[in-house]
Amino acid sequence: MLAPILDGKRILLVISGGIAAYKSLDLIRRLRERGAAVRCILTEGGAAFVTPLSVAALSEEKVFMDLFSLTDESEMGHIRLSREADLVVVAPASADILAKMAQGLADDLATTALLATDKPVLVAPAMNHMMWAHPATRANIASLEAQGVRRVGPESGDLACGEVGAGRMAEPMQILAAIEAQFAERTSLAGRRALVTSGPTHEPIDPVRFIANRSSGRQGHAIAAALAQRGAATILVSGPSAEPDPAGVEVRHVETAAEMLAACRAALPVDVAVCAAAVSDWKVANPATQKLKKDVTADGAPPKLTLAANPDILASLGGAGNRRPRLVIGFAAETENVVENATAKRRAKNCDWILANDVSPGTGTFGGRENTVHLVSADGVEDWPTLSKQAVAERLAERVARHLAAAS
Ligand code: C5P
């Protein structure tokens, strides 16, 4: 009896050029046996190793080959092709297609679909060992991993070129296991409730002016999306941000820290709370109800703003007594002594984990697309490599799922 996890799942399989393409025929067969629907894109290189007829016969679907085929585009545009899948698998993934993916090139149907997809991508590299070890390939793989692309293999052994080394495509059963693991992950937070704060807060000075900061909301939104993708019922409490609402997430839009705190309290109980918002530490004590005029002071001097402390939302969740989420996670954006300060913050705010990141000028973290974090917990400090904010979110969501599963 085969595990039902792939039953009804839709896989888009990209077969690029390489002798290992013959193994992809077996992969199609195994996927079909398990109830998955498999659509294939065969690149020009791939078609030099396996025939469209074999691929079509095994997948029981039309094979897509040509970006500029009017028939293909009218029947199934490349965008639809990439969106209608649950998972995109590139096997074999040649050095060439990996380089194109890393650079965002789109010069054929396969690379165009890969650039257009909003679905997870798994690659099974296959190439000569010198090509695999080349710094250019290493950099491309690092860049793809930072983008959240998953990889299975390659293996070491005899290569088709007669040389020996790392570069042999993973066996179909290994690729299948990686595909199944990818789907299993999507239910790893099923039945859990998650709360995420994101973005800056706006603290009014008067009805048209406010105090804010440069937070984009990218990291928090990505975390909410990653938790929801794993099946958690996720509430995102977001300050003003240009980021779109993540799919499958319940979003509460707020402006001030006080509103953010109220929305977070209303979201309880949850299993996990992640406070990624850059909450303004202060608010204006008495915001004006009318727009302040230039001549607001008798002597023409600029008005003085009196600030008052904002509530600390993370500390409030960490100390929420019997409503405390099982896992409370905060961020510590520091410009010096990053880990030391984060460790102290973890204790002070009574949270379980702190993701410490360096936001010194020049790191580009605040408002940027990448993040270098250190996970500080009671068990110590774990240094993560520089990753895209999406990949940080993926890793964090996986850690959360593992932690909750182990704790329950
Ligand atoms: O104290 P600091 O602002 O450095 O702490 C950062 C962490 O605390 C972040 O997780 C942030 O979301 C959270 N925080 C909060 N409410 C505040 C200030 C910070 O939730 N008023």
Side-chain angles (χ1 to χ4, degrees), residues 251-312:
V251 187
R252 309 269 151 80
H253 294 279
V254 298
E255 298 233 327
T256 65
E259 289 167 8
M260 189 173 272
L261 176 64
C264 287
R265 286 204 174 131
L268 297 180
V270 296
D271 298 288
V272 54
V274 185
C275 290
V279 183
S280 172
D281 291 314
W282 307 287
K283 62 181 175 182
V284 176
N286 284 310
T289 50
Q290 302 296 328
K291 183 183 169 193
L292 292 174
K293 299 287 186 208
K294 287 190 188 64
D295 57 0
V296 65
T297 54
D299 58 1
K304 289 200 166 42
L305 296 180
T306 305
L307 300 181
N310 258 333
D312 192 311

Side-chain angles (χ1 to χ4, degrees), residues 188 190 192 271 326 400-408:
S188 60
R192 310 283 188 194
D271 298 288
R326 253 201 291 163
V400 167
R402 257 194 281 152
H403 181 87
L404 293 179
S408 57

